[in-house]
Amino acid sequence: MPFEDYEPVIGLEVHCELKTATKLFCGCPTTFGNEANTQVCPVCLGLPGTLPVMNGKAVEFAVKIGHSLNCTIASYSKMDRKNYYYPDLPKAYQVSQYDKPLNYGGYLDIVTKEGTKRIGVTRAHLEEDAGKLVHAGGKSGRLDSSDYSLADYNRGGIPLVEIVSEPDIRSSDEAHAYLTALKSILLYIDVSDCNMEEGSLRCDANVSIRKKGTEKFGTRTEIKNMNSFKFVKQAIEYEIKRQAGVLDKGERVIQESRLWDVTENKTKSMRSKEEAHDYRYFPEPDLVPIILDPAYVQKLKVELPELPGAKRARFETDFGLTPYDAGVLTSEQELGKWFEVGAKLTKNPKGFANWVMGDMAAQMKEQEKELKDLKFDQKKLAELVDIIDAGTINSKQAKEVFLELFNEGVSPAEVVKSKGMAQVSDPKAIEAVVGKVLDENPNVVVDYMGGKQGVIGFLVGKVMQASQGKANPKMVNEIIKKKLDS
Amino acid sequence: MALSEKDVQYVAKLARLEVTEQEVAKYTQQLGNILGYIEEMGKLDTANVEPLTHPLDMKNVFREDVVKPSLTQAEVLSNGPEVQSGHFKVPKIM
Amino acid sequence: MELYQKTIHEIASDLKAKKVSSVELTKATMAHLKAVEPKVQSFITVTEEVALAQAAEADKRLASGSNLTPLTGVPLGIKDLLCTKGVQTTCASKMLEGFKPPYNATVVERLNAAGAIMVGKTNMDEFAMGSSTETSYYQKTKNPWNLSCVPGGSSGGSASCVSADQAFGSLGSDTGGSIRQPAALCGIVGLKPTYGRVSRYGLIAFASSLDQIGPMTKDVEDCALMMNVIAGHDEKDSTSANVAVPDYTVEMKKSIKGLKIGIPKEFFPEGMNPEVTEATKKAIEQLKSLGSEVHEISLPHSPYSLAAYYVLAPSEASSNLARYDGVRYGLRVPGENIVEMYSKTRAAGFGPEVKRRIMLGTYALSSGYYDAYYLKALKVRRLIKQDYDQAFEKVDVIVTPTVPNPAFKFGEKTDNPLTMYLEDIFTISINIAGVPALSLPCGLSKTDLPIGLQIIGKPFDEGTLLKAAYAYEQSTDWHRRKPTLKES
Ligand SMILES: [Zn+2]
């Protein structure tokens, strides 16, 4: 079957570490990168007799995530134990949520080339992170060939929110857009660092394919170990092709977990010998239910900042931006804020947006600068936009002025003045020069009169030359035409 | 529900308990008896009864997000059967 | 009378009056403890050094005369499932041999703050699973009333050490009767407080929604004194209730005139040991003669409590005991890979009863069986709780026998787990409902074995329990009887 006739069905599970000061159930710090087993106490080491006490801040952050993903916040929620043995799990159960997640039934709107699409969010629940294993000996670092492993519980017990999407995603691009939008939201509401290298944002993908136009889902695989958005995209693309290949051969896709192998650029079966998962979930008896006061839940909703989606829509209407531009400018909260201040200082917010996304973004990237490092404020960039719109300088000059602004922070008006760039827009002055040029080129005038309209460009060039490039080219053009046609 | 030796083997595996054949036979019989007794509960009509997980009617016990001292690495590892360079060492996983 | 034979309230006044120092008292107690220990075997670990150091500290406090509590300088036993910093805590399991917790249980902290002395860690059924202390990996504790009989369990060592005057009191834990049943069998007072009354932090969990720590003492007043120290809210235990704690020694002395006592007919089944029936009925008459009113009541779902318990407790236990995997502490048996290491370690570290319950609980929670067992048991749990709620609308306390029979011989019930489980038939529904109950001596059998009376109260109404118990105790002398450490 042609590859195009298959339709992928993708659901994403994103684990997001919350940036609380302490772990979910104990007072150990959550700082990343410290020496092994130095951020561990009897509780998060799972010592016999210890008991968990819920971090209220983690609940607050989780509810904020729920609100920002348009979820229903559960009127009754509880923690459950998920039982399984693994050396990174000190109690041999993970405290998580099973049938009563804190948040459920939400959605997230994503923007792709095809437009806006709504992706369902099944649930966003609270749970504790596991510790970290280092696989050592043998072909070092690889799970399947190591001789032994070393356990570090610093990360064990850090609060996580697991955000599970509906299988509404239909391409690797949509998956990428979903993750980008989700990360943007999590950063806006300031609940996570979303640092994929440090593992504070992790993603697993459930991927299956089906024949286009059919309803029934195919057998899915779960892809793990994708620690960047780029890898998620690549892994999903690979997996779709792999599954199509399997089906084309008349074979069946096996339901299994697969690891993304960065070096080989392929997903690999984990070939786990363990029995089918039987997690024996049951209510965590050491913790009491979470039954939040509706007023508190509402307060957290009201306190949320304007989210990327709303801001994007507002930028479109308020500033006449295209959905794409509005999307770029709202992708990061700080950038959106910076833009909005400047957009209000000029009559041409769209022009301002172009500078922000164009030359300014390019220079920032090239010079590895962030907004806080800029030597100028929005007022000065707005000044540049207005000077251009007034026809005082041409676009080539504008670029020069911008560089001065970016590198030295000099106000555009001053640059124009000090470099004598101001365009001549005085009709009388231009008329004088035009008159002189026409007098000096009688043959060209004759040619024009004879119907050779094209020579006007030559005349404009001469006038510009004579004015040392300062004459307003648009006006020069108009005045020449006026004189010749009269 | 009759308990089979296969059930006992499955459960022992889930619970990470190595069992001998004799133990499987013994547990199948003993656990079967106990389950028979437990199934007395089936006589009660509980269709309209809400489950009760906590004897006390409590909710929302939260603590402040304030850092408290952790143990030292030496204390963390002090009871470890096998430790290496600040970590707990375990045999290979695969 | 020897010093060590006194009660806590008696010895506390001697200490306060400086008739004896804590070091002298601790030495005398320790000498007696060691003298009878070969016969009784109450302790897994005797903590003489710790005790003497604590006694020296207590003496400073006693000398200064400030910051004194009735427990200051008094030697006590601690059940070996309560974590004691730097002192081996085994749960009577091979799994935790040599395990030294880096922290103290909250109750241990509270006893320390009160100036109490720890003489040792008491023997118990492995991980508190049993009713005779026979499942201990370490030793068999004997009943001081008859050394060929069990002391009950799981807090067998905590009961025998108080009964044999090896300590003035002790802490036990009770998941289905583990304080009250050994208290009854050893002729002492044992209280299981309301769930949430005493912090569980540092109590090595058996079944988290049922476990409670409580005092085991020579008389009711001592029980009240210990409760004054250990009860109260603890922010380290989310299930610890923030309910005000009264002075139990004051509550205890209030009158029981007009106290409404309920007698549940389900707790006097046909074929019960006639001596137990008779002793219980006499005790009820006695309470009536002291001014209380007696009403027959019904707890209709109590016959199902044992079944519900043997789903709930093993299920929670199967999860609570999963952490003993040979990675971070305790026993490790080497294996080729991690799964083999886990399975060999757990096979070698746990005894048969613990394994049985882990398997039972794992089965009840496993895919496909959850609704039939665990969910069903949670529903039955609500029905049992509702029985108590309804009963307590009519009566203030409920009185029953603690155990159907006096102490039994070693090995008598080890072959058939179910017969052992039936030991807890009268105590178990109390844990399921989370209400408080105590056992106190109410008679001796013809063969000189103690019989216990159980008084059950409303949640957080331990004061009324103690009041009823104290009134009864003051009008009888069962609590003054001493065991003779005879060999049957
Ligand atoms: Zn911790």
Side-chain angles (χ1 to χ4, degrees):
Chain A
M1 186 155 102
F3 182 65
E4 297 73 39
D5 289 354
Y6 285 114
E7 175 183 55
V9 174
I10 302 158
L12 295 177
E13 288 171 16
V14 173
H15 286 88
C16 154
E17 262 184 22
L18 302 181
K19 57 190 256 189
T20 49
T22 64
K23 294 185 177 181
L24 188 52
F25 300 125
C26 65
C28 288
T30 55
T31 349
F32 177 80
N34 283 340
E35 201 185 333
N37 293 310
T38 55
Q39 287 166 199
V40 180
C41 73
V43 175
C44 58
L45 187 57
L47 284 187
T50 56
L51 296 170
V53 184
M54 178 69 82
N55 183 341
K57 198 80 185 170
V59 175
E60 181 191 316
F61 282 1
V63 170
K64 281 183 172 173
I65 291 175
H67 278 317
S68 66
L69 297 175
N70 309 292
C71 289
T72 303
I73 314 302
S75 55
Y76 174 96
S77 185
K78 67 176 168 71
M79 305 306 292
D80 297 284
R81 290 188 186 175
K82 179 182 183 179
N83 296 283
Y84 66 95
Y85 288 86
Y86 208 70
D88 65 2
L89 200 61
K91 301 184 293 290
Y93 57 80
Q94 179 193 31
V95 179
S96 179
Q97 299 196 282
Y98 184 52
D99 57 340
K100 299 282 178 191
L102 197 51
N103 312 296
Y104 60 92
Y107 62 84
L108 174 57
D109 288 334
I110 61 168
V111 182
T112 64
K113 279 172 261 166
E114 284 83 40
T116 304
K117 181 172 172 179
R118 181 158 289 186
I119 307 295
V121 171
T122 316
R123 56 191 281 157
H125 70 252
L126 193 56
E127 62 185 28
E128 59 177 336
D129 208 345
K132 237 168 134 176
L133 292 177
V134 181
H135 306 297
K139 260 192 274 165
S140 198
R142 296 191 60 122
L143 178 63
D144 47 3
S145 58
S146 66
D147 295 332
Y148 60 93
S149 297
L150 297 172
D152 166 15
Y153 298 107
N154 282 352
R155 197 181 69 180
I158 288 181
L160 291 177
V161 167
E162 180 178 340
I163 301 159
V164 183
S165 88
E166 291 288 314
D168 291 345
I169 298 165
R170 293 288 172 270
S171 70
S172 62
D173 283 334
E174 284 186 9
H176 192 271
Y178 172 85
L179 291 172
T180 309
L182 182 58
K183 180 178 171 185
S184 170
I185 286 176
L186 296 172
L187 289 173
Y188 260 61
I189 62 174
D190 203 24
V191 298
S192 173
D193 291 329
C194 293
N195 187 329
M196 285 193 99
E197 285 92 66
E198 292 180 4
S200 60
L201 197 69
R202 307 198 286 272
C203 176
D204 299 334
N206 289 307
V207 179
S208 66
I209 58 171
R210 65 185 174 193
K211 204 178 148 191
K212 261 188 194 145
T214 58
E215 288 285 312
K216 205 168 157 274
F217 290 155
T219 306
R220 64 167 195 214
T221 57
E222 186 182 21
I223 316 170
K224 295 170 174 288
N225 196 34
M226 305 171 289
N227 51 15
S228 80
F229 288 2
K230 197 179 92 189
F231 292 152
V232 174
K233 198 164 175 294
Q234 288 175 354
I236 289 174
E237 277 161 17
Y238 174 87
E239 184 61 15
I240 293 167
K241 289 201 184 105
R242 187 191 70 84
Q243 291 188 12
V246 169
L247 295 184
D248 283 344
K249 273 190 272 174
E251 292 169 7
R252 283 178 171 193
V253 174
I254 302 162
Q255 183 163 352
E256 61 179 353
S257 290
R258 299 178 69 86
L259 280 183
W260 174 246
D261 189 313
V262 189
T263 47
E264 295 184 41
N265 278 323
K266 49 162 65 168
T267 64
K268 286 178 158 179
S269 173
M270 290 174 77
R271 267 181 238 104
S272 146
K273 276 174 277 173
E274 64 187 308
E275 69 273 12
H277 294 302
D278 190 341
Y279 291 126
R280 291 155 285 137
Y281 280 102
F282 74 104
E284 163 59 291
D286 289 331
L287 290 165
V288 299
I290 302 170
I291 303 171
L292 299 176
D293 178 1
Y296 169 74
V297 172
Q298 186 57 30
K299 175 178 160 276
L300 293 180
K301 188 171 190 174
V302 171
E303 283 173 5
L304 281 184
E306 184 181 33
L307 297 177
K311 193 170 261 204
R312 190 172 62 225
R314 193 165 58 77
F315 279 11
E316 287 176 37
T317 43
D318 287 6
F319 304 125
L321 303 184
T322 63
Y324 178 81
D325 290 355
V328 172
L329 289 167
T330 53
S331 63
E332 285 170 40
Q333 193 173 28
E334 285 309 304
L335 181 64
K337 274 188 196 162
W338 199 93
F339 164 76
E340 188 168 3
V341 170
K344 284 177 177 162
L345 296 174
T346 158
K347 287 191 209 79
N348 183 4
K350 201 167 163 18
F352 188 83
N354 288 338
W355 278 100
V356 172
M357 293 183 297
D359 291 44
M360 183 172 131
Q363 283 303 322
M364 285 171 74
K365 200 176 168 195
E366 196 184 311
Q367 301 188 27
E368 294 179 357
K369 292 256 161 61
E370 289 179 41
L371 283 173
K372 63 173 166 46
D373 308 323
L374 293 182
K375 291 183 173 154
F376 60 98
D377 58 11
Q378 295 96 323
K379 204 176 154 206
K380 285 183 178 166
L381 185 61
E383 191 180 297
L384 176 60
V385 172
D386 288 345
I387 288 172
I388 298 162
D389 287 349
T392 313
I393 55 172
N394 63 32
S395 58
K396 201 180 142 211
Q397 290 170 319
K399 284 191 182 290
E400 204 183 324
V401 174
F402 175 76
L403 275 182
E404 284 287 308
L405 173 66
F406 192 92
N407 294 329
E408 310 299 335
V410 191
S411 121
E414 274 174 41
V415 180
V416 169
K417 200 173 154 196
S418 68
K419 296 208 167 178
M421 279 177 171
Q423 283 183 30
V424 177
S425 300
D426 174 3
K428 276 187 185 147
I430 296 174
E431 271 171 26
V433 183
V434 169
K436 197 169 159 248
V437 167
L438 294 184
D439 288 348
E440 285 166 5
N441 296 283
N443 299 341
V444 182
V445 173
V446 171
D447 285 351
Y448 181 84
M449 296 302 188
K452 285 191 180 169
Q453 303 263 320
V455 299
I456 201 154
F458 172 81
L459 293 171
V460 169
K462 284 283 173 194
V463 173
M464 292 307 291
Q465 211 176 1
S467 72
Q468 288 162 317
K470 285 182 207 163
N472 182 328
K474 206 173 146 212
M475 288 178 76
V476 169
N477 206 323
E478 279 164 14
I479 289 169
I480 294 175
K481 271 191 179 166
K482 205 173 84 190
K483 285 223 167 194
L484 291 175
D485 293 345
S486 62
Chain B
M1 275 176 267
L3 186 78
S4 68
E5 293 205 348
K6 220 178 125 203
D7 292 331
V8 170
Q9 273 156 346
Y10 172 73
V11 165
K13 202 174 157 197
L14 261 187
R16 299 288 186 267
L17 285 169
E18 192 178 77
V19 281
T20 62
E21 265 176 52
Q22 294 95 306
E23 280 175 313
V24 170
K26 189 183 75 184
Y27 286 132
T28 306
Q29 186 250 322
Q30 287 179 336
L31 296 178
N33 285 347
I34 298 165
L35 286 169
Y37 181 83
I38 286 170
E39 279 157 19
E40 286 286 297
M41 288 191 303
K43 289 181 187 162
L44 280 177
D45 179 8
T46 52
N48 297 313
V49 182
E50 276 294 304
L52 177 71
T53 49
H54 277 277
L56 291 182
D57 192 15
M58 290 177 77
K59 62 177 181 184
N60 302 341
V61 176
F62 301 140
R63 73 183 165 80
E64 298 281 314
D65 186 25
V66 176
V67 173
K68 298 244 171 85
S70 301
L71 295 171
T72 64
Q73 192 190 59
E75 285 172 319
V76 170
L77 302 173
S78 63
N79 283 295
E82 200 176 347
V83 296
Q84 183 178 307
S85 51
H87 293 74
F88 294 94
K89 187 177 175 182
V90 296
K92 65 170 177 252
I93 287 165
M94 288 294 198
Chain C
M1 186 154 82
E2 300 291 341
L3 280 177
Y4 52 77
Q5 290 180 311
K6 294 189 172 187
T7 62
I8 294 174
H9 54 92
E10 287 162 356
I11 205 70
S13 59
D14 287 358
L15 285 163
K16 205 175 162 192
K18 302 195 170 62
K19 285 185 191 162
V20 61
S21 75
S22 178
V23 168
E24 287 162 359
L25 177 65
T26 302
K27 281 182 175 165
T29 308
M30 198 54 83
H32 173 69
L33 181 157
K34 286 180 182 169
V36 300
E37 184 62 4
K39 285 185 174 175
V40 186
Q41 291 182 278
S42 303
F43 294 91
I44 292 174
T45 309
V46 176
T47 53
E48 188 167 7
E49 265 181 54
V50 173
L52 289 172
Q54 286 176 330
E57 284 301 310
D59 279 335
K60 283 186 207 158
R61 220 160 131 171
L62 287 159
S64 78
S66 68
N67 197 17
L68 296 187
T69 78
L71 298 188
T72 308
V74 178
L76 302 174
I78 306 290
K79 189 174 180 180
D80 206 22
L81 50 45
L82 295 169
C83 284
T84 43
K85 191 171 178 176
V87 174
Q88 174 181 255
T89 302
T90 68
C91 263
S93 180
K94 183 182 179 185
M95 187 61 94
L96 285 176
E97 193 167 19
F99 171 65
K100 289 182 178 173
Y103 77 102
N104 275 327
T106 295
V107 285
V108 172
E109 286 286 318
R110 285 180 176 231
L111 288 182
N112 288 350
I117 313 301
M118 173 171 77
V119 292
K121 304 292 296 284
T122 61
N123 195 27
M124 54 184 278
D125 280 297
E126 185 182 5
F127 283 102
M129 297 177 185
S131 306
S132 65
T133 312
E134 288 168 289
T135 71
S136 168
Y137 168 69
Y138 297 94
Q139 66 213 26
K140 295 216 182 333
T141 298
K142 316 297 187 299
N143 191 318
W145 290 84
N146 183 332
L147 297 175
S148 57
C149 287
V150 302
S154 67
S155 310
S158 287
S160 63
C161 77
V162 174
S163 172
D165 293 322
Q166 294 175 295
F168 288 84
S170 65
L171 287 181
S173 72
D174 189 317
T175 307
S178 281
I179 286 175
R180 292 159 288 157
Q181 184 256 13
L185 268 46
C186 290
I188 62 167
V189 175
L191 170 65
K192 184 210 87 80
T194 312
Y195 185 81
R197 175 88 287 184
V198 177
S199 168
R200 294 186 295 117
Y201 188 77
L203 159 70
I204 299 183
F206 162 14
S208 313
S209 78
L210 302 161
D211 295 341
Q212 264 292 291
I213 298 164
M216 302 179 78
T217 55
K218 294 177 185 177
D219 68 11
V220 174
E221 185 166 353
D222 284 2
C223 180
L225 286 172
M226 284 188 76
M227 276 299 283
N228 279 351
V229 172
I230 63 170
H233 180 246
D234 177 17
E235 58 181 24
K236 289 179 180 162
D237 175 1
S238 309
T239 65
S240 146
N242 205 342
V243 177
V245 180
D247 181 342
Y248 291 114
T249 57
V250 173
E251 294 298 305
M252 169 186 90
K253 286 179 180 157
K254 291 182 179 166
S255 162
I256 66 159
K257 284 251 153 51
L259 184 80
K260 295 195 199 91
I261 295 177
I263 311 297
K265 54 177 188 272
E266 293 82 3
F267 285 63
F268 295 85
E270 275 184 40
M272 191 166 78
N273 182 306
E275 288 184 299
V276 172
T277 311
E278 197 195 340
T280 311
K281 289 196 167 155
K282 265 190 167 167
I284 292 164
E285 282 309 309
Q286 183 72 9
L287 284 163
K288 206 168 164 181
S289 74
L290 293 168
S292 60
E293 300 169 14
V294 173
H295 303 266
E296 181 168 307
I297 59 160
S298 174
L299 297 168
H301 297 98
S302 51
Y304 297 95
S305 54
L306 199 62
Y309 178 89
Y310 275 96
V311 174
L312 298 176
S315 295
E316 292 182 17
S318 71
S319 175
N320 284 332
L321 272 64
R323 70 189 65 195
Y324 306 104
D325 60 6
V327 175
R328 292 157 301 275
Y329 43 79
L331 181 74
R332 172 185 290 193
V333 177
E336 274 299 297
N337 55 47
I338 190 86
V339 173
E340 206 182 294
M341 187 278 277
Y342 284 156
S343 307
K344 284 185 185 299
T345 298
R346 292 168 60 77
F350 293 136
E353 181 60 27
V354 172
K355 286 183 199 173
R356 209 153 31 231
R357 296 203 197 184
I358 288 174
M359 302 236 273
L360 187 57
T362 304
Y363 182 71
L365 289 175
S366 68
S367 172
Y369 298 101
Y370 183 88
D371 286 5
Y373 292 115
Y374 194 75
L375 189 64
K376 181 82 183 181
L378 289 180
K379 290 178 170 189
V380 173
R381 179 173 205 173
R382 180 167 304 273
L383 294 173
I384 291 166
K385 171 88 161 55
Q386 282 170 355
D387 282 357
Y388 279 100
D389 291 345
Q390 281 158 17
F392 283 126
E393 284 171 16
K394 288 182 237 137
V395 298
D396 302 311
V397 294
I398 297 168
V399 171
T400 75
T402 309
V403 194
N405 295 286
F408 51 92
K409 297 263 162 68
F410 286 98
E412 205 178 302
K413 301 190 179 192
T414 42
D415 287 344
N416 184 349
L418 263 177
T419 60
M420 186 71 87
Y421 297 172
L422 288 166
E423 269 296 291
D424 295 332
I425 191 108
F426 297 150
T427 48
I428 233 159
S429 64
I430 283 102
N431 299 74
I432 289 175
V435 295
L438 68 66
S439 176
L440 80 167
C442 73
L444 285 173
S445 72
K446 283 185 222 103
T447 53
D448 257 358
L449 287 170
I451 294 168
L453 183 73
Q454 177 170 249
I455 310 179
I456 309 162
K458 297 174 185 173
F460 301 103
D461 194 17
E462 284 83 357
T464 302
L465 278 191
L466 290 164
K467 179 173 85 174
Y470 187 71
Y472 173 79
E473 184 189 77
Q474 292 304 301
S475 70
T476 63
D477 72 343
W478 299 115
H479 62 291
R480 295 211 183 84
R481 310 287 180 97
K482 289 283 181 189
T484 54
L485 309 188
K486 67 180 179 195
E487 306 256 6
S488 70

